Amino acid sequence: MSSATERTPEAQPALRRTLATWAAVSLSVAAMGASLAINLNPQGAGAVVGRAVPLTFVLATVGVLLVAYGFARICGRLSHAGSVFGLTSVTIGPRAGVVAGWGLLGAYLSFIITTAITAGIFGADFLRVLGLWTTTPDIAPWIIALGAVAVSLVLGVAPVRTSMKTLLWVEISTTALILLIAVVVIIRVASGHAPGGQTFTLDMFTVPPDIGVSTLFLGIVFGFLSFAGFEASASLGEETKNPRRAIPRAIFGVALFGGLFYIFGTAVEMLGFGTDAAGVKAFAGSASLFGDLGQLYVASAIGGLVTLGTAISAVGCCLATTVAASRLLFAMNRGAFESRGFVKISAKSRAPVAATVFVTCLGAGLIVLVRLLLTDTAFNLFAWSGTIGTLSLLVAYGLFSAGAWYYLCVRAPRQGQPAAPLDYVVPVLAVALIGYTMYRNVAPWPDTAAGRANIVIAAVWIIIGVALIFGAPRVARRIADSLNRDEGLAGGGNLDVPAGEPTEPPVRYEETPAQ
């Protein structure tokens, strides 16, 4: 090599393939945080759709499985640490990829805050159960939330394999306890021994007379929030052995498990509290759904264990989201600026240290600012950050699904890879469902200031991403060149930048040695 423009593999920071399929599954399981979501998210839907909460989760499950189909099909051919950033860049183009990645990054940053404050809420409640205080101090959840972010930082720069084992076992243990409580609730209600005289019914799968079917799409946001992170294993595309087999299995398997778990779990919750007006009110006002059911139907100690397990699960979810966010930021930064910025990798753990430090410090800083300037109620931060993150997430999912259809049905067939019959239909249905959900949540315009602010913040975040990429054509060119060289995207076809825009001289790279 004699040209100054030729570079060696060291110019492209790389992660190391050390993870088995179970590790990819662990990240998606932990990021989704099913045991956490089933205890706190359904109340938000209950306040909107009443007893029909399980129906909103049926709709959310359908939507997520449609999106998961696209992920499974695309990740079966392509893999990248940037998740939807790299994948959408290949399927549609680098500009769309950056917007999708930017939306997903905004969602992950929001969910770091959401899961951290959730750990604070449940952790503070567990300390109350232990008798440390009778009335939880307002500041307690916030302090515990900052502790959760600190734990995520420490473990986030450690070897990924160790973190994944911890996350998987915490989630398995808490989920098993929840399922045990669910069985007891069903038995006691069906046998006529429910503590509040609740009777067995399937009314929760019907729409109440005073609620329109379209209203279900207002509650579905909390369903999508519960699934958030199911695709996180895609961010391990450069660290997983045989990613084109492991990651599709992880993504689709976790989505299917989550759907069944949420539908069953919310149905049991409504059954346990009751589907009448009093039961729905108690359901919506619960601080820990299965924690309260454990106390009512089993024993107070069981409820405390669920609360503790949920708090630990929330910390694990915060860690998993941190891992996914740091890989996404690492990949986007690498594509735009190559060896500058958030690309420092630990020599020992091979984790993206600079990106991990940035996302956790930003999350902690925002938690402090919200506490000082906006509210002292921890649940407000949970609701706000969760809604903002979900709206940003839906933008990323929508762009990815559109790109999946284009790649599977147009680009791949040109390369000799024919489309499957479902490829023509499933991604289109995903885009339609996501689009209607987003429309239904902005029209009519929310009555509350917080509801309007959540939409505006999410919209501004996406607009900033669009403005950045369209205002910097050379960056788009560099991203395209970088992605064309990335190992996991090889064979995806050259990425194009619109004709007439400035380009840079081609750069030849040596082949990266197999890891």
Side-chain angles (χ1 to χ4, degrees):
M1 297 187 297
S2 58
S3 172
T5 60
E6 293 174 350
R7 302 175 187 173
T8 61
E10 285 74 18
Q12 281 285 93
L15 302 171
R16 181 182 296 164
R17 296 194 186 280
T18 60
L19 303 179
T21 300
W22 67 263
V25 173
S26 299
L27 183 63
S28 281
V29 167
M32 187 174 70
S35 63
L36 158 66
I38 198 67
N39 271 310
L40 195 60
N41 293 349
Q43 295 94 315
V48 177
V49 301
R51 71 188 185 206
V53 171
L55 274 181
T56 66
F57 279 84
V58 170
L59 290 174
T61 298
V62 171
V64 168
L65 287 176
L66 293 175
V67 175
Y69 175 87
F71 269 105
R73 291 286 287 148
I74 297 298
C75 290
R77 302 181 184 185
L78 309 169
S79 59
H80 196 259
S83 184
V84 299
F85 158 61
L87 303 177
T88 306
S89 292
V90 168
T91 57
I92 304 180
R95 283 179 166 171
V98 170
V99 175
W102 185 258
L104 188 61
L105 180 62
Y108 283 160
L109 291 173
S110 296
F111 294 148
I112 289 174
I113 297 171
T114 305
T115 52
I117 198 64
T118 302
I121 292 171
F122 282 100
D125 191 54
F126 178 72
L127 294 177
R128 179 192 59 79
V129 172
L130 289 181
L132 188 62
W133 46 60
T134 54
T135 301
T136 303
D138 291 338
I139 195 62
W142 302 84
I143 294 175
I144 297 173
L146 293 176
V149 176
V151 170
S152 298
L153 171 59
V154 172
L155 295 181
V157 298
V160 177
R161 183 181 301 180
T162 302
S163 301
M164 293 306 100
K165 286 183 179 179
T166 303
L167 296 176
L168 184 60
W169 282 110
V170 166
E171 192 63 27
I172 288 175
S173 300
T174 308
T175 301
L177 185 57
I178 287 173
L179 291 175
L180 176 62
I181 294 172
V183 171
V184 174
V185 169
I186 293 173
I187 291 175
R188 292 193 60 180
V189 171
S191 64
H193 294 88
Q198 295 88 343
T199 57
F200 189 85
T201 179
L202 295 179
D203 283 351
M204 70 284 294
F205 289 104
T206 62
V207 181
D210 57 337
I211 293 177
V213 174
S214 64
T215 306
L216 295 176
F217 285 86
L218 291 175
I220 200 177
V221 166
F222 294 93
F224 277 115
L225 175 59
S226 300
F227 281 97
F230 84 96
E231 81 300 324
S233 59
S235 66
L236 298 180
E238 296 178 28
E239 297 170 83
T240 306
K241 301 173 185 176
N242 198 359
R244 297 182 185 181
R245 182 178 66 179
I247 291 177
R249 290 179 177 180
I251 290 176
F252 200 82
V254 170
L256 183 59
F257 158 76
L260 295 175
F261 179 75
Y262 289 141
I263 294 170
F264 172 75
T266 52
V268 170
E269 288 169 344
M270 288 306 310
L271 189 66
F273 282 96
T275 58
D276 57 5
V280 171
K281 182 178 180 181
F283 176 96
S286 173
S288 173
L289 290 169
F290 269 101
D292 289 345
L293 289 177
Q295 293 182 24
L296 288 171
Y297 283 82
V298 187
S300 58
I302 295 295
L305 285 176
V306 171
T307 300
L308 174 61
T310 304
I312 297 174
S313 176
V315 177
C317 194
C318 185
L319 169 59
T321 308
T322 297
V323 169
S326 64
R327 269 64 178 176
L328 177 56
L329 179 60
F330 165 83
M332 293 184 69
N333 186 99
R334 182 182 62 185
F337 305 110
E338 295 185 341
S339 59
R340 294 170 292 163
F342 303 109
V343 294
K344 181 179 179 181
I345 298 175
S346 167
K348 181 179 179 180
S349 67
R350 302 304 297 173
V353 176
T356 304
V357 170
F358 177 79
V359 298
T360 50
C361 289
L362 178 60
L366 290 174
I367 290 173
V368 172
L369 285 177
V370 170
R371 177 62 176 79
L372 293 177
L373 302 178
L374 296 178
T375 183
D376 58 1
T377 302
F379 190 83
N380 286 343
L381 179 57
F382 164 80
W384 298 342
S385 59
T387 302
I388 293 169
T390 302
L391 293 174
S392 297
L393 186 70
L394 290 177
V395 172
Y397 283 173
L399 282 171
F400 171 79
S401 296
W405 180 90
Y406 182 72
Y407 180 83
L408 294 170
C409 300
V410 180
R411 297 191 67 174
R414 292 174 182 170
Q415 301 171 4
Q417 302 178 44
L422 289 177
D423 293 343
Y424 291 99
V425 179
V426 174
V428 175
L429 293 176
V431 173
L433 184 60
I434 290 169
Y436 184 72
T437 299
M438 294 185 67
Y439 166 77
R440 192 63 185 83
N441 278 272
V442 299
W445 192 242
D447 295 330
T448 65
R452 295 190 293 269
N454 291 336
I455 295 173
V456 169
I457 292 172
V460 168
W461 177 264
I462 298 299
I463 291 170
I464 289 174
V466 172
L468 287 175
I469 195 61
F470 277 88
R474 289 185 179 273
V475 173
R477 178 74 266 170
R478 283 200 300 269
I479 291 173
D481 289 340
S482 174
L483 291 169
N484 277 325
R485 295 190 301 265
D486 286 347
E487 175 190 356
L489 300 180
N494 291 331
L495 294 103
D496 300 319
V497 171
E501 295 191 347
T503 61
E504 298 178 352
V507 180
R508 184 164 66 87
Y509 278 68
E510 293 180 350
E511 183 179 358
T512 303
Q515 299 187 35

